[in-house]
Amino acid sequence: SIRKPAHPDSKAEGAAVVLVDRDRALAERAAAELVGMGRKALAVGADVSVRAEMQAAAQAALDWTGRIDILCPNAAIFDAAPIAEMPEELWDRLLAVNLKGVFLIVQACLPAMTAARSGGTTWRSPGARWKGTALRTPGGPSSSTSSVE
């Protein structure tokens, strides 16, 4: 469920949101909730671990809004197993979604954001604590933020 805006005028300042999920029906339900609140939302079905699908999602956002101002690559799966028992296929899927997926969508959106000389990216990692030092971005526990300069 999506929280309603705290301020009555906040929908006038709200962003057009593109929701990307492997389960398109789930993305469509979330988009419908946003639209029901007076927001603009588009659902896109795509697998974050597939480069072509992330490029298509970024293009859908550009076609629909004309620009990408904020990117929140928050896709993650939390299937877990003790490391001694974890099948290699599960490990590969965790890395493909939780790491490669972020890389692919940032790579797909960055050219448009750089060309516009605007936009920002925010990462949130529920259940994990890390800083974006490898990406040379400021941040604190559980988040990292960067912007296009």
Side-chain angles (χ1 to χ4, degrees):
S1 176
I2 298 169
R3 289 183 286 160
K4 295 193 183 217
H7 188 278
D9 294 332
S10 63
K11 73 178 177 181
E13 299 173 13
V17 178
V18 178
L19 301 161
V20 179
D21 197 297
R22 182 174 62 159
D23 181 347
R24 184 182 179 97
L26 183 63
E28 287 173 348
R29 285 194 300 273
E33 279 191 59
L34 287 170
V35 169
M37 293 168 31
R39 303 289 178 94
K40 295 177 184 175
L42 173 70
V44 175
D47 183 336
V48 299
S49 68
V50 178
R51 177 182 303 279
E53 292 187 27
M54 290 301 90
Q55 290 172 336
Q59 190 61 53
L62 288 169
D63 291 346
W64 186 58
T65 65
R67 63 191 216 194
I68 299 172
D69 293 319
I70 301 170
L71 175 62
C72 301
N74 293 324
I77 55 175
F78 298 101
D79 295 342
I83 197 76
E85 300 167 19
M86 183 179 289
E88 184 176 355
E89 296 78 18
L90 174 56
W91 178 251
D92 289 344
R93 185 71 183 144
L94 287 169
L95 292 177
V97 172
N98 298 1
L99 296 176
K100 183 181 176 185
V102 171
F103 167 75
L104 291 176
I105 193 61
V106 169
Q107 211 174 41
C109 293
L110 198 55
M113 295 169 79
T114 302
R117 300 192 54 78
S118 69
T121 303
T122 182
W123 284 273
R124 299 224 180 262
S125 180
R129 294 189 177 270
W130 58 282
K131 292 184 180 179
T133 54
L135 298 172
R136 297 178 190 230
T137 59
S142 300
S143 70
S144 179
T145 305
S146 67
S147 62
V148 175
E149 297 178 15

